[in-house]
Amino acid sequence: MTDFLAQRDSWSTANCSIARALEVVGNRTTLLLLREASFGTRRFDDFARRVGVSEPVAAARLKQLVADDLLDRRPYREPGQRTRDEYVLTAKGRDLLPVLVALRQWGDAYAADEAGPSVLVTHHDCGADVRARLRCDAGHDVPADELAVLPGPGLRTS
């Protein structure tokens, strides 16, 4: 399949899944908001404070995450307070969890300071570290040098 990869200059990037995914989640604030949502953050003020962004930035990004169906906005009301919204991951948002785990794993290995990672993610039931892995549908772990890139049904050539 190296012949296929050698012809990359003729591929149109208009239908690239990575490029399209980055249009949705490809900025720092968005990924950090998703990190917080995956940790269970639900309230607007907590998102803004924990991500370290202004309220207008948090509001715009959260609105876009709702529009992109990564978060649901749900009303809640504490006694004596006005109704507010909380934000929870949708199924589409939860499907990004392996991406967040992979980013954290890479950051732990290559970007953490000498003290090490700030958080560890483990399996609640057994305590083992949780890691992102490349695995084929037949259940085999796949090292990078064993990946095959084949034309997909949406490949467009120029």
Side-chain angles (χ1 to χ4, degrees), residues 125-143:
D125 290 349
C126 73
D129 288 341
V130 172
R131 302 187 55 77
R133 299 162 67 174
L134 294 177
R135 181 171 283 193
C136 72
D137 284 344
H140 307 109
D141 285 347
V142 182

Side-chain angles (χ1 to χ4, degrees), residues 36 43-55 58:
E36 285 305 316
R43 309 251 170 111
F44 176 84
D45 292 339
D46 294 334
F47 278 111
R49 186 181 74 258
R50 290 177 180 154
V51 172
V53 295
S54 68
E55 289 185 3

Side-chain angles (χ1 to χ4, degrees), residues 29-74:
T29 301
T30 298
L31 286 170
L32 293 177
L33 289 167
L34 289 168
R35 174 201 66 195
E36 285 305 316
S38 77
F39 286 167
T41 300
R42 298 212 186 306
R43 309 251 170 111
F44 176 84
D45 292 339
D46 294 334
F47 278 111
R49 186 181 74 258
R50 290 177 180 154
V51 172
V53 295
S54 68
E55 289 185 3
V57 169
R61 295 285 189 265
L62 288 167
K63 182 178 180 180
Q64 190 60 52
L65 286 166
V66 169
D68 290 333
D69 193 33
L70 297 172
L71 293 176
D72 270 337
R73 185 174 27 227
R74 297 182 184 160

Side-chain angles (χ1 to χ4, degrees), residues 34-35 38-39 89 92-104 121 130 132:
L34 289 168
R35 174 201 66 195
S38 77
F39 286 167
L89 287 168
K92 186 175 174 181
R94 286 188 303 274
D95 280 349
L96 280 168
L97 189 55
V99 175
L100 296 173
V101 168
L103 279 171
R104 182 179 302 109
V121 178
V130 172

Side-chain angles (χ1 to χ4, degrees), residues 8-25:
R8 283 194 311 276
D9 288 339
S10 69
W11 300 356
S12 168
T13 58
N15 198 30
C16 174
S17 296
I18 293 173
R20 287 186 175 190
L22 287 172
E23 288 174 8
V24 177
V25 299

